[in-house]
């Protein structure tokens, strides 16, 4: 069948870093000072430091990526994954062409360092046969040996001035000092009593620092490796120190700690100039930091990226929020000239992305893309579906067996607007007059004004998806039996209609067009069937094109077009009256299928995926 391939402009709202409790997160900085980078899943995310709404994503690793670092030239990035693969790729082209790929050892890579001429790379981690390697970037041939540790090496750095020196830090509570090239082990640095999480040379090479789970930061002479001092006397922090980053002039450094603070140190005096208090929650532990140009960045266990303000240490200049876990659901809402994208992830987190649309309508102003989240305690498990009702409430259903109604003007979860369900809800839809239809495993529940008023149980089919007609008179429920069952809403009850329609296979999702004229039904047999409501739900058209089970469907505001996404990682935009014309959005989210679809206007489609990113596409007919 003919279709048009859409090479559309799209905008990426990047994921946050993937975080793990008690594990340091390495942030990379580009030598020109414009970008910073981190990893999430199989992706490397590059963000503009002045405007983090500008982002680029590299998705070529086959395994979870753990660390990425710019070459000092700025032209290449080396990224390493859990299998021990290192990929060196181009930063200047949009395609990020692969230059070289190596496997220095088998196992998780934890840190990477380059020599200042961008010719040699050191890699450390959890190798089975060794914990580190140093090699030439263009041939992979060895330029020394990383020895001297008997446990995982967490961190490595190379002095950026000659004569070269290399340092490592390990779970064996020691650092190690090497001379080269070729790099040879000289001696152990035995000054810590806990895991050494991070080791870093000052940019001028005169000093290096080691940071440890023993709350200490030790300063050494960069050329000889002799101990010079410890920061803060007995201890630098009241918790393990996970990361350190030097100032460009080599006189100061910042440190990130499990005590939920970041400190700014005057290295010569050995004292903390500023302490940034990041909060009281476990999620506020600080696991990574980067000093880039005039910016101090830190990363919380929550994945939030903090831009610290030394003039106001208890209040960051900005906090980049978003998702660090896979996104499962999505809806869009417009309010007073602003557009809000609500997305829910598999850890129960709901993110609010807001911006104002400028003229022309489908031009997106990246400057205003702000992320936020609701106050208070929300869902404790995956948010499966979400929709906004006519009273500006966000209605969400979750695997924690609840429905929540959240007032979008207040942006705060409310304990009283929580409805506990008997079974896990899979889908939720709303209609004017306070109506909500929740399709749960084994039952269908009608709610009115946030209260359950009617439950269908003991059904002879397994309900899978549901939709209320915008007029509020009919509820359609799609089943694993491949049928669509209609119920009329009479007062507070659901009455079974004699009409049932046939889909081509077990139903996966369904939606009425905004004007109520059509019902689109997707199924496991890769077909979208559109029924015409006024014609007694006769079939208007069948839409073929997906190569795998279809997951979700969303109607354009024009009621003439709708989008579908499938397990084939494809998104198609269809025209109701012409089943042969379809627009294909290629490579929407390269690594995973699209989990959520929503329209902002008739030319702007938003997609979400398990890669924790939100993307916006311009669709032209």
């Amino acid at each position: 069948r003919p279709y048009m391939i859409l090479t559309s402009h799209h905008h990426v709202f990047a994921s946050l870093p993937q975080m793990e409790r008690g594990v340091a997160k390495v942030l990379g900085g580009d030598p020109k000072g414009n970008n910073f980078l981190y990893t999430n899943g199989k992706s490397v995310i590059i963000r503009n430091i002045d405007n983090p709404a500008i982002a680029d994503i590299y998705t070529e690793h086959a395994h979870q990526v753990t660390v990425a670092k710019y070459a000092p030239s700025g032209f290449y990035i080396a990224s390493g994954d859990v299998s021990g693969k290192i990929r060196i790729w181009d930063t200047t082209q949009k395609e990020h062409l692969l230059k070289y790929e190596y496997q220095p050892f088998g196992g998780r890579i934890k840190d990477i360092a380059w020599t200042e001429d961008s010719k040699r790379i050191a890699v450390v981690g959890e190798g089975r046969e060794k914990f580190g390697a140093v090699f030439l970037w263009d041939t992979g041939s060895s330029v020394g040996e990383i020895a001297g540790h008997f446990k995982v090496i967490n961190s490595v750095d190379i002095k950026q001035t000659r004569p070269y020196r290399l340092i490592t830090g390990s779970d064996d509570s020691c650092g190690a000092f090497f001379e080269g090239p070729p790099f040879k082990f000289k001696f152990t640095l035995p000054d810590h009593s806990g895991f050494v999480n991070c080791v870093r040379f000052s940019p001028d090479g005169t000093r290096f620092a080691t940071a440890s789970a023993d709350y200490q930061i030790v300063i050494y002479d960069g050329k000889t490796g002799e101990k010079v001092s410890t920061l803060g006397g007995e201890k630098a922090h009241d918790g393990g120190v996970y990361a350190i980053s030097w100032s460009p002039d080599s006189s100061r450094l910042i440190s990130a700690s499990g005590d939920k603070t970041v400190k700014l140190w005057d290295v010569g005096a050995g004292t903390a100039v500023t302490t940034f208090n990041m909060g009281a929650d476990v999620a506020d532990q600080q696991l990574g930091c980067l000093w880039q140009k005039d910016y101090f960045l830190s990363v919380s266990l929550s994945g939030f990226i903090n831009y610290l303000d030394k003039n106001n240490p208890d209040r960051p200049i900005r906090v980049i929020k978003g998702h660090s876990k896979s996104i499962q659901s999505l809806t869009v809402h417009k309010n007073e000239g602003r557009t809000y994208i609500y997305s829910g992830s598999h850890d129960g987190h709901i993110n609010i992305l807001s911006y104002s649309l400028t003229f022309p309508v489908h031009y997106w102003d990246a400057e205003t893309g702000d992320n936020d989240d609701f106050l208070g305690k929300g869902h404790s498990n995956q948010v499966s579906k979400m929709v906004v009702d006519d009273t500006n409430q966000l209605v969400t259903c979750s695997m924690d067996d609840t429905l929540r109604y959240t007032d979008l003007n207040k942006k705060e979860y409310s304990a009283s607007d929580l409805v506990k369900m008997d079974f896990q809800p899979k889908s939720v839809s709303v209609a004017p007059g306070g109506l909500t239809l929740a399709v749960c495993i084994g039952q269908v529940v009608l709610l009115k004004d946030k209260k359950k008023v009617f439950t269908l149980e003991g059904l002879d089919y397994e309900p899978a998806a549901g939709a209320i007609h915008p007029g509020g008179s009919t509820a359609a429920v799609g089943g694993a039996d491949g049928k669509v069952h209609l119920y009329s809403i009479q007062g507070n009850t659901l009455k079974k209609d004699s009409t049932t329609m046939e889909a081509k296979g077990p139903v996966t999702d369904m939606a009425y067009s905004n004007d109520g004229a059509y019902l689109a039904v997707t199924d496991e047999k890769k077909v979208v069937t559109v029924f015409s409501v006024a014609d007694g739900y006769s079939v208007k058209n069948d839409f073929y094109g997906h190569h795998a089970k279809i997951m979700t469907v969303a109607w354009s505001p024009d009621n003439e077009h709708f989008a579908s996404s499938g397990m084939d990682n494809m998104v198609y935009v269809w025209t109701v009256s012409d089943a042969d014309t379809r627009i294909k959005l290629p490579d929407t989210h390269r690594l995973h299928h699209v989990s959520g679809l929503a329209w902002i206007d008739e030319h702007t489609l938003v997609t979400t995926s398990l890669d924790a990113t939100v993307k916006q596409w311009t669709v032209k007919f």
Side-chain angles (χ1 to χ4, degrees):
R1 286 165 183 261
Y3 59 80
M4 300 174 281
I5 287 197
L6 182 74
T7 50
S8 74
H9 162 78
H10 73 283
H11 190 87
V12 176
F13 307 99
S15 62
L16 295 176
Q18 185 171 3
M19 306 301 288
E20 215 179 311
R21 192 167 175 180
V23 179
K25 189 71 188 179
V26 178
L27 293 179
D30 103 77
K32 298 182 183 66
N34 300 326
N35 300 324
F36 65 100
L37 28 93
Y38 55 83
T39 62
N40 184 316
K42 296 176 184 174
S43 305
V44 178
I45 292 102
I46 307 171
R47 295 184 91 152
N48 180 295
I49 200 157
D50 299 314
N51 179 7
I54 300 170
D56 189 9
I57 303 176
Y58 178 79
T59 54
E60 296 299 319
H61 277 270
H63 300 276
Q64 182 194 332
V65 199
T66 44
V67 60
K69 288 273 190 76
Y70 273 94
S73 68
F75 297 139
Y76 293 96
I77 288 170
S79 51
D81 65 30
V82 294
S83 76
K85 276 237 169 33
I86 290 275
R87 292 178 73 88
I88 302 167
W89 41 279
D90 172 89
T91 60
T92 60
Q93 310 289 319
K94 207 171 136 311
E95 295 74 38
H96 299 311
L97 297 173
L98 181 69
K99 186 82 174 167
Y100 302 108
E101 184 178 60
Y102 301 113
Q103 178 109 28
F105 48 80
R108 176 185 291 258
I109 289 172
K110 299 201 74 169
D111 202 5
I112 296 169
W114 293 75
T115 50
E116 52 52 62
D117 58 7
S118 301
K119 290 195 162 67
R120 301 170 194 81
I121 298 177
V123 179
V124 298
E126 299 178 22
R128 285 181 283 281
E129 61 288 353
K130 56 182 178 181
F131 301 123
V134 201
F135 52 88
L136 290 172
W137 87 295
D138 54 354
T139 61
S141 51
S142 173
V143 280
E145 190 186 6
I146 294 186
H149 291 292
F150 60 89
K151 283 189 178 165
V152 171
I153 302 179
N154 297 314
S155 188
V156 64
D157 205 18
I158 296 173
K159 185 156 90 74
Q160 293 296 294
T161 52
R162 290 171 186 271
Y164 287 155
R165 300 287 184 262
L166 184 149
I167 46 170
T168 53
S170 162
D171 273 5
D172 63 15
S173 304
C174 292
F177 187 79
F178 301 76
E179 290 177 357
F183 290 98
K184 289 190 186 63
F185 171 75
K186 278 294 179 214
F187 48 80
T188 295
L189 309 166
D191 302 299
H192 288 292
S193 59
F195 295 168
V196 182
N197 291 318
C198 188
V199 298
R200 294 292 180 254
F201 275 100
S202 60
D204 66 6
T206 59
R207 298 269 188 272
F208 66 87
T210 60
S212 164
D214 66 5
Y215 306 5
Q216 289 208 313
I217 300 170
V218 183
I219 305 294
Y220 300 84
D221 181 281
K223 194 170 162 189
T224 65
E226 286 167 33
K227 182 175 169 180
V228 176
S229 62
T230 56
L231 297 185
E234 287 295 291
K235 59 179 185 179
H237 281 273
D238 292 324
V241 188
Y242 287 102
I244 44 182
S245 186
W246 286 85
S247 63
D249 70 359
S250 300
S251 69
R252 293 170 297 163
L253 64 79
I254 51 171
S255 58
S257 167
D259 68 6
K260 311 177 188 74
T261 70
V262 174
K263 290 189 180 184
L264 169 60
W265 298 91
D266 176 327
V267 176
T271 54
V273 185
T274 312
T275 299
F276 304 92
N277 294 301
M278 302 308 298
D281 198 71
V282 171
D284 298 317
Q285 292 183 355
Q286 301 300 298
L287 300 181
C289 61
L290 178 69
W291 190 322
Q292 178 95 317
K293 287 198 293 200
D294 303 328
Y295 294 106
F296 309 147
L297 301 190
S298 75
V299 185
S300 307
L301 175 57
S302 61
F304 291 176
I305 301 166
N306 313 295
Y307 281 62
L308 306 178
D309 183 355
K310 59 176 186 294
N311 303 318
N312 190 356
D314 295 338
R315 183 138 186 209
I317 298 164
R318 71 190 302 172
V319 178
I320 304 177
K321 298 181 179 180
H323 291 288
S324 58
K325 306 277 198 327
S326 65
I327 303 174
Q328 302 287 344
S329 55
L330 167 75
T331 194
V332 163
H333 180 54
K334 284 193 179 148
N335 197 3
E336 295 174 357
R338 282 188 83 76
T339 294
Y340 297 87
I341 299 171
Y342 297 93
S343 47
S345 62
H346 100 116
D347 57 356
H349 175 73
I350 295 176
N351 185 60
I352 310 164
L353 181 72
S354 70
Y355 54 89
S356 54
L357 284 168
T358 54
F359 188 82
V361 176
H362 45 259
Y363 171 72
W364 191 77
D365 175 11
E367 292 300 322
T368 54
D370 282 325
N371 283 288
D372 205 357
D373 43 10
F374 295 113
L375 300 169
K377 198 157 169 42
H379 287 295
S380 60
N381 203 330
Q382 174 175 313
V383 184
S384 303
K385 279 275 189 215
M386 49 171 68
V387 62
V388 178
D389 71 12
D390 60 337
T391 63
N392 275 357
Q393 305 258 354
L394 181 69
V395 187
T396 52
C397 73
S398 163
M399 284 188 175
D400 63 12
D401 298 351
T402 64
L403 250 58
R404 274 183 180 275
Y405 293 82
T406 308
D407 185 331
L408 294 181
N409 299 321
K410 293 199 182 114
K411 295 196 171 66
E412 186 167 6
Y413 293 114
S414 145
S416 61
D417 293 335
L418 172 82
V419 183
K420 286 198 164 44
M421 308 303 280
D422 304 329
F423 297 96
Q424 191 185 99
K426 295 200 283 195
S427 94
V428 62
S429 65
V430 293
L435 290 175
T436 305
L437 183 75
V439 173
C440 306
I441 292 171
Q443 60 173 219
V444 178
V445 182
L446 182 69
L447 299 94
K448 191 158 186 183
D449 301 327
K450 308 179 197 172
K451 300 213 170 22
K452 293 187 206 173
V453 293
F454 193 77
T455 303
L456 288 172
E457 283 179 298
L459 298 164
D460 56 0
Y461 65 95
E462 173 60 47
I468 303 187
H469 188 274
S473 58
T474 306
V477 180
D481 59 355
K483 293 186 170 65
V484 178
H485 306 262
L486 291 183
Y487 298 87
S488 59
I489 300 171
Q490 300 178 1
N492 289 344
T493 63
L494 293 172
K495 287 266 197 307
K496 181 99 169 79
D497 280 10
S498 54
T499 319
T500 54
M501 295 93 74
E502 299 279 339
K504 298 290 184 285
V507 174
T508 53
D509 194 23
M510 56 201 308
Y512 279 101
S513 58
N514 308 285
D515 61 3
Y518 301 112
L519 175 66
V521 178
T522 65
D523 63 47
E524 289 187 14
K525 297 275 196 247
K526 310 177 281 219
V527 185
V528 189
T529 306
V530 172
F531 299 95
S532 177
V533 174
D535 301 328
Y537 286 90
S538 62
V539 175
K540 169 79 175 167
N541 259 323
D542 293 321
F543 299 83
Y544 295 87
H546 281 287
H547 300 300
K549 176 166 125 178
I550 303 175
M551 299 304 292
T552 180
V553 64
W555 282 92
S556 163
D558 66 11
N559 300 308
E560 298 286 318
H561 300 92
F562 62 91
S564 63
S565 73
M567 290 300 275
D568 52 5
N569 291 15
M570 278 298 169
V571 173
Y572 290 109
V573 178
W574 309 88
T575 305
V576 176
S577 55
D578 180 5
D580 290 334
T581 306
R582 61 178 195 235
I583 295 175
K584 173 176 161 185
L585 273 65
D587 277 350
T588 36
H589 296 257
R590 289 208 46 226
L591 300 168
H592 304 281
H593 72 271
V594 168
S595 56
L597 291 169
W599 293 82
I600 288 173
D601 57 45
E602 35 286 335
H603 292 289
T604 315
L605 181 67
V606 181
T607 59
T608 56
S609 174
L610 310 191
D611 61 8
T613 60
V614 177
K615 292 187 182 182
Q616 182 180 308
W617 305 82
T618 304
V619 182
K620 294 194 173 73
F621 302 112

